[in-house]
Amino acid sequence: MKELTYAEAINEALDEEMARDDKVILMGEDVGLYGGVWRTSVGLQQKYGIKRVIDTPISENSFVGCAIGAAITGLRPIVEIMYIDFITLALDQIINQAAKLRYMFGGKVKVPIVIKTTAGAGKGNAAHHSQSLESLFCHIPGLKVVMPSTPSDAKGLLKSAIKEDNPVIFIEHKLLYPKKEILTEEVIPLGKAKIVRGGTDITLVATSNMLYKAMDAADILKKDFNISCEIIDPRTLSPIDFEMIIGSVKKTNNALIVHESNKKAGIGTYIASIVTENAFDWLDSPVNVIGGLDCPIPYSYVLEDAVIPSQDKIINKVKEILEKG
Amino acid sequence: MPEKINITKDLKVDFFKQMYTIRKFEEKVKELLPLGLIRGATHVYIGEEAVAVGACSALNSDDYIVSTHRGHGHCIAKGGSLKPMMAELLGKETGYCKGKGGSMHIANVDCGMLGASGVVASGIPIATGAAFSSKFLENKKVTISFFGDGASNNGTFHECLNLASIWKLPIIFICENNGYAITVPAKISTSVKDIAIRAKGYDMASAIVNGRDVEEIYKVTSDAVRRARDGKGPTLIEAKTYRFEGHWIGDPQVYRGKSEVESEISRDHLLDYEKKLVKENILSVSEIGSVKRKIEAELEEATQFAKESPFLDASKVADDIFS
Ligand SMILES: Cc1ncc(C[n+]2csc(CCOP(=O)(O)OP(=O)(O)O)c2C)c(N)n1
């Protein structure tokens, strides 16, 4: 039983998978000697050598493409993109190549690549270092998208992602790295959600750092308004565990989805549509979504706070849904 | 070396003032960041001042520059005012970008400073586009694109050198080679020792300059600017420089030795230039003292202004997305 931070849990997953399989390699900017700006690869270059833990130039499209080429020819690369904002430079390789190669080649290749990266606002890094782009990747057939919120999930899901034979976008949240927990050491398959807290009045589906805001909101809703929230963390956003979410909604008859990615054309509206299609007769209210404001992330904390979903916004929305319902 | 370019006494004084302003501005940033008044990733330009000052002094006020994530020095050198700059770093409504951009997105479009950028190398195509429009509009404006050695490994750098070369654009690419991209030394990430050599592959003129020598940078850039204005096409200038500080404030700098850093800092071009001005009888020691005090007072005033300014109201957060 050991207590690790989210960053340390990720580091341990990388370490264990690199020890298990010598075809697993890690490349990215500053991941080697320094151990990554998020400290998730500390010690790995020292342990596995510069052959397997590689500091790359600032050439995102090309080193991601290079990892894809290596993946279809026998290696199992993990690529770190320092901030998800810079993944946009590699979208040709990710969207046109990694996601489609197997299909285009009639199932003749496997693309076992993990692209690990960091999303989220809250540090005053402004529009180029704060985005939550998970919804973008959920839109693309051929990609799996993972977004862990706890150290145990981060470790368990990263290990599964590395063993997965398909491209996985593994999205960490920059505010979660210091979060500590005694690890459960569970194997967590991709595509399985988790009921974080049982409840009866409404289902809250919350991703990544929003899980904590949803839990805090649920505490206050219980204490001050006697509203019981069931909280689900999907953990994998694509493919998403609709069975668990729909099962919960059929029990609570109400649902609110909360994510940091901005709302427009986002994963939340997709979840809402599938829930509505499959559980319409059970619903007492429309399925609601709270996402980030449809706005680039601003710099000042006053403005940044206005863009990111807050605990108060969740509380008010839940009350509004249940009052109307 | 370019043909004779004269540097007046006034210009030399101006070089000193600008470099000193940048140095003091960045020291103030270092002071305000741990207090939480400035937040987020903030990259200071200490050690590299001569590059922005020498290069921007070769431009007209309506010429363009495009900056990087390390943009405060470029902004000051292109005529930015300290009050709206400091206010932007403190996230205030009176800042150049109303507190929406912050350090990494500082822009002063009215002075031809078309913005810093948080995405490495992303400014290079924007600069190429500004030069394209100047050529198209025949307005004789010239653009400088600043970027680091790390950025020169990004595809956009190579693609833009090609574009600028085939279209003979009025642009000067200035690579600030400080030897590192965050923690990664250029020698393990970059195929060449001298970035300037990369110009050859695009049939472009190039030069290497001492990034601590403001006068040399001014002369070489002036020559490139003249050729660009005359329709003779782009130039790649590599300035060999060194960042005295960590990549970020608090960087433990495990990637470079203490003795390396100390020896680089001990050769401080700002002190050297001050001595040079005294030796050449351009300014006396006491005149230098009063120049410095004036700059320090302006900076204090700017900091006070920034502190007292209001934040943009949250109700306006989604303004300015579309025009
Ligand atoms: C596309 C992209 N990749 C990675 C980063 C993270 N990053 C910020 S600064 C930097 C190093 C840049 O090095 P260089 O271009 O030499 O400029 P310097 O910081 O040395 O001035 C990196 C990798 C980024 N901002 N953008």
Side-chain angles (χ1 to χ4, degrees):
Chain A
M1 296 265 275
K2 59 186 167 210
E3 194 180 47
L4 290 188
T5 65
Y6 186 84
E8 288 162 348
I10 290 168
N11 183 260
E12 207 172 79
L14 293 170
D15 191 359
E16 288 175 14
E17 291 307 305
M18 292 193 79
R20 182 187 58 79
D21 182 349
D22 63 9
K23 298 292 190 299
V24 175
I25 61 166
L26 173 67
M27 57 166 94
E29 291 153 17
D30 306 274
V31 300
L33 175 67
Y34 184 61
V37 301
W38 307 109
R39 318 307 288 137
T40 56
S41 54
V42 172
L44 298 180
Q45 189 181 66
Q46 288 77 357
K47 190 161 172 187
Y48 299 102
I50 53 171
K51 188 174 171 200
R52 292 180 64 196
V53 181
I54 303 150
D55 278 316
T56 60
I58 309 170
S59 317
E60 282 83 0
N61 199 38
S62 296
F63 70 70
V64 169
C66 180
I68 296 166
I72 63 171
T73 51
L75 299 186
R76 304 189 74 85
I78 305 159
V79 178
E80 177 168 300
I81 299 282
M82 194 184 294
Y83 287 78
I84 200 167
D85 312 72
F86 318 147
I87 210 169
T88 54
L89 279 82
L91 289 188
D92 169 47
Q93 289 298 329
I94 297 172
I95 295 179
N96 292 329
Q97 309 303 335
K100 300 177 174 52
L101 284 180
R102 179 175 172 81
Y103 183 82
M104 294 188 300
F105 298 173
K108 295 277 164 53
V109 292
K110 288 179 180 166
V111 191
I113 175 175
V114 178
I115 298 172
K116 77 186 272 301
T117 186
T118 303
K123 280 182 160 294
N125 284 328
H128 284 168
H129 287 69
S130 307
Q131 296 173 83
S132 291
L133 297 177
E134 58 272 19
S135 296
L136 197 66
F137 296 101
C138 292
H139 188 65
I140 305 299
L143 298 178
K144 299 198 173 185
V145 182
V146 178
M147 216 173 178
S149 54
T150 68
S152 297
D153 285 354
K155 181 175 176 191
L157 284 163
L158 183 52
K159 286 175 67 96
S160 295
I162 295 168
K163 293 191 186 95
E164 168 73 32
D165 278 336
N166 296 293
V168 178
I169 312 292
F170 187 89
I171 306 171
E172 300 154 22
H173 194 292
K174 56 177 78 68
L175 295 184
L176 294 179
Y177 289 114
K179 217 168 206 34
K180 272 191 183 161
E181 177 180 79
I182 294 175
L183 290 197
T184 57
E185 299 292 353
E186 259 177 282
V187 177
I188 303 168
L190 302 188
K192 287 304 293 172
K194 177 168 75 177
I195 295 180
V196 177
R197 185 182 295 182
T200 51
D201 297 329
I202 186 167
T203 300
L204 298 183
V205 178
T207 66
S208 188
N209 191 41
M210 287 301 132
L211 176 66
Y212 300 96
K213 294 205 181 174
M215 292 201 299
D216 291 345
D219 287 342
I220 292 170
L221 286 163
K222 182 79 215 166
K223 195 161 109 293
D224 295 351
F225 304 97
N226 200 28
I227 292 171
S228 158
C229 302
E230 176 144 301
I231 303 179
I232 295 182
D233 178 357
R235 305 193 290 190
T236 303
L237 300 186
S238 187
I240 194 160
D241 188 351
F242 278 120
E243 202 183 317
M244 183 178 285
I245 295 169
I246 290 167
S248 170
V249 175
K250 285 183 176 174
K251 189 178 76 175
T252 64
N253 313 112
N254 295 288
L256 171 64
I257 299 133
V258 190
H259 56 60
E260 191 169 325
S261 173
N262 63 303
K263 181 169 170 178
K264 193 192 282 181
I267 180 70
T269 49
Y270 171 62
I271 297 172
S273 84
I274 300 290
V275 169
T276 307
E277 283 168 22
N278 290 280
F280 189 71
D281 291 344
W282 282 265
L283 284 169
D284 288 343
S285 63
V287 180
N288 270 261
V289 179
I290 296 178
L293 213 63
D294 291 314
C295 177
I297 310 292
Y299 166 70
S300 89
Y301 74 87
V302 174
L303 301 179
E304 192 182 33
D305 283 353
V307 168
I308 303 309
S310 66
Q311 177 187 308
D312 283 352
K313 207 166 170 187
I314 299 170
I315 292 170
N316 291 336
K317 182 57 84 179
V318 168
K319 283 165 56 194
E320 185 192 309
I321 292 169
L322 295 180
E323 273 159 24
K324 274 196 201 146
Chain B
M1 236 357 215
E3 63 188 71
K4 199 121 190 69
I5 288 167
N6 187 34
I7 302 182
T8 62
K9 285 185 179 183
D10 283 352
L11 192 52
K12 289 185 183 187
V13 172
D14 205 46
F15 287 161
F16 177 72
K17 282 186 184 165
Q18 288 193 49
M19 290 195 292
Y20 192 74
T21 306
I22 296 171
R23 176 71 57 95
K24 287 289 148 183
F25 185 89
E26 298 296 46
E27 284 173 0
K28 184 57 90 181
V29 169
K30 277 181 66 187
E31 183 187 314
L32 298 177
L33 196 112
L35 302 178
L37 291 171
I38 295 175
R39 53 201 300 260
T42 306
H43 311 94
V44 298
Y45 196 60
I46 296 176
E48 309 186 33
E49 300 91 343
V51 186
V53 171
C56 291
S57 300
L59 293 179
N60 296 335
S61 59
D62 64 349
D63 286 329
Y64 299 119
I65 67 165
V66 178
S67 173
T68 65
H69 55 286
R70 198 179 297 290
H72 311 160
H74 303 139
C75 194
I76 291 172
K78 191 65 179 71
S81 305
L82 299 184
K83 282 185 181 172
M85 277 190 71
M86 198 52 97
E88 187 56 36
L89 266 61
L90 269 67
K92 300 300 181 72
E93 185 175 7
T94 52
Y96 271 131
C97 315
K98 304 180 191 166
K100 291 179 172 174
S103 165
M104 278 193 293
H105 303 285
I106 199 150
N108 177 12
V109 177
D110 297 337
C111 277
M113 194 296 199
L114 302 180
S117 173
V119 181
V120 167
S122 64
I124 306 174
I126 308 285
T128 305
F132 180 91
S133 106
S134 298
K135 181 169 181 180
F136 185 95
L137 298 170
E138 298 178 15
N139 62 18
K140 292 274 173 198
K141 291 187 192 181
V142 169
T143 300
I144 291 180
S145 171
F146 289 103
F147 53 91
D149 48 289
S152 83
N153 293 322
N154 196 278
T156 52
F157 164 79
H158 295 273
E159 294 177 22
C160 287
L161 258 63
N162 186 52
L163 289 180
S165 181
I166 58 171
W167 293 336
K168 272 197 174 323
L169 298 181
I171 184 167
I172 296 123
F173 297 98
I174 299 192
C175 178
E176 303 180 308
N177 185 354
N178 61 19
Y180 295 89
I182 311 190
T183 72
V184 180
K187 61 177 179 291
I188 73 159
S189 63
T190 309
S191 59
V192 289
K193 190 168 135 281
D194 299 323
I195 308 291
I197 229 170
R198 292 184 160 172
K200 284 212 172 26
Y202 305 98
D203 195 20
M204 187 182 296
S206 71
I208 296 177
V209 294
N210 174 0
R212 297 171 187 258
D213 185 343
V214 65
E215 296 187 6
E216 183 189 346
I217 295 160
Y218 172 76
K219 285 180 187 165
V220 173
T221 310
S222 296
D223 188 53
V225 167
R226 187 177 46 70
R227 284 186 298 102
R229 262 196 241 290
D230 289 348
K232 300 214 172 85
T235 306
L236 170 63
I237 298 174
E238 175 185 6
K240 303 281 191 190
T241 179
Y242 196 80
R243 88 172 133 67
F244 288 5
E245 300 289 325
H247 180 78
W248 67 92
I249 292 163
D251 176 359
Q253 303 190 52
V254 294
Y255 49 88
R256 57 186 195 180
K258 224 180 157 148
S259 61
E260 173 190 309
V261 178
E262 279 167 6
S263 118
E264 292 281 352
I265 292 179
S266 72
R267 299 189 292 121
D268 186 346
H269 50 279
L270 190 54
L271 289 176
D272 290 347
Y273 203 65
E274 183 179 328
K275 283 185 206 142
K276 183 177 146 101
L277 293 190
V278 174
K279 203 165 137 222
E280 291 181 7
N281 287 321
I282 293 172
L283 287 178
S284 68
V285 173
S286 80
E287 281 169 332
I288 290 212
S290 62
V291 163
K292 285 182 176 176
R293 278 192 299 279
K294 187 154 173 280
I295 290 168
E296 285 155 22
E298 270 172 36
L299 192 57
E300 278 316 313
E301 213 182 304
T303 308
Q304 208 49 39
F305 168 81
K307 284 182 179 166
E308 284 162 8
S309 292
F311 286 105
L312 185 70
D313 194 77
S315 63
K316 296 190 180 149
V317 68
D319 291 359
D320 300 321
I321 297 177
F322 293 109
S323 44

